[in-house]
Amino acid sequence: EDQVTQSPEALRLQEGESSSLNCSYTVSGLRGLFWYRQDPGKGPEFLFTLYSAGEEKEKERLKATLTKKESFLHITAPKPEDSATYLCATRYNTDKLIFGTGTRLQVFP
Amino acid sequence: DTEVTQTPKHLVMGMTNKKSLKCEQHMGHRAMYWYKQKAKKPPELMFVYSYEKLSINESVPSRFSPECPNSSLLNLHLHALQPEDSALYLCASSQEGGGAFGYTFGSGTRLTVV
């Protein structure tokens, strides 16, 4: 069965302290890896789609990269408003989007 | 319009009630989805509609009944639910294969079964 594993489960950062979140996925047949941000009680908010190894996408303080077996979400100089749960999700040969367990990020001033 | 709209935002229902959740999108997306999310867990897929036809049912109990009246609307009919069905129910839509803009999610319906 296709698997998506995220680490760490939770991350506490000081404002300005850069870090990376990891997403490992089943390699065979990948047709898209997606990053989402989710605030408590709200729906996931789309951040990035990555399709092939070596691909990179950036948005403000966030940068997503994809290798042959994992994806990283790099957060540069985070601010308290970046606090949220970050979800990685994968799509294979169907419309099914499979989510990882997420990383709960807290950024303290 | 780049949103998925879900109604109601909150719903409390008894175990013998019948209720419906509604979802609407006007982005021309051809696929629509229902997800269930429990607290501190990731969203779990329930149903997928592709071109208004049910394409994936993730072995969801029959007390949940999806309906796609047209390409913009998706309903989830609820009947004889259990307290453990209490969760955030999310609707999403997408272009072919998710596309460069991914899957667009609504804000969800917070369902409480009493």
Side-chain angles (χ1 to χ4, degrees), chain A residues 31 34 36 38 40-46 48-49 51 57 87 91 94-102 104, chain B residues 30-31 33 35 37 42-43 45 48 50 55-56 58 88 90 97-107 110:
Chain A
R31 292 198 172 183
F34 304 85
Y36 284 86
Q38 187 174 27
K42 296 190 176 181
E45 175 190 345
F46 172 74
F48 305 108
T49 306
Y51 289 105
K57 296 274 181 73
L87 296 163
R91 176 181 174 266
T94 69
D95 285 322
K96 187 174 174 178
L97 193 64
I98 303 170
F99 281 91
T101 51
R104 291 191 304 279
Chain B
R30 61 93 180 134
Y33 312 79
Y35 280 83
Q37 187 175 26
L45 182 66
V48 179
S50 178
S55 60
I56 297 177
E58 290 288 282
L88 182 67
L90 295 162
F101 302 101
Y103 296 61
T104 303
F105 283 82
S107 297
R110 173 70 62 189

Side-chain angles (χ1 to χ4, degrees), chain A residues 50-66:
Chain A
L50 301 167
Y51 289 105
S52 56
E55 192 173 359
E56 299 182 349
K57 296 274 181 73
E58 283 189 72
K59 180 180 178 181
E60 297 180 354
R61 295 178 292 281
L62 300 177
K63 180 180 178 180
T65 61
L66 185 66

